[in-house]
């Protein structure tokens, strides 16, 4: 069974598409571990520090 994106994860994916940027490129540019971003967008881990950074850089709301 495929993992489901969280609502925040879906927003992250949307913004990356709008910016024509891959997750890997985004992580490299903003010094975020690839596995951490994946854990955030699929809800496997909260990782508040990186969630805040991702939200700020992509200009999206942080999940409640």
């Amino acid at each position: 069974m495929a993992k489901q994106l969280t609502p925040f994860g879906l927003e992250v994916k949307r913004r990356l598409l709008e910016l024509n940027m891959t997750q890997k490129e985004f992580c490299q540019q903003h010094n975020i571990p690839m596995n951490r971003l994946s854990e955030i967008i699929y809800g496997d881990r909260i990782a508040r520090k990186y969630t805040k950074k991702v939200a700020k850089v992509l200009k999206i709301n942080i999940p409640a």
Side-chain angles (χ1 to χ4, degrees):
M1 186 164 117
K3 286 186 175 185
Q4 289 280 58
L5 289 169
T6 63
F8 181 72
L10 191 57
E11 279 300 306
V12 170
K13 292 274 199 179
R14 264 194 208 119
R15 283 293 293 140
L16 290 176
L17 278 172
E18 288 171 5
L19 297 169
N20 197 29
M21 183 180 286
T22 66
Q23 284 179 226
K24 183 176 182 177
E25 291 167 338
F26 177 77
C27 287
Q28 288 173 339
Q29 284 183 21
H30 299 286
N31 201 25
I32 297 170
M34 277 284 297
N35 63 321
R36 194 67 70 241
L37 181 62
S38 181
E39 290 168 347
I40 291 168
I41 66 176
Y42 288 106
D44 295 333
R45 187 174 186 158
I46 295 175
R48 294 188 209 294
K49 172 184 160 185
Y50 290 111
T51 299
K52 286 180 183 177
K53 186 173 186 175
V54 169
K56 184 177 180 180
V57 170
L58 295 178
K59 298 179 175 92
I60 55 179
N61 292 325
I62 297 175

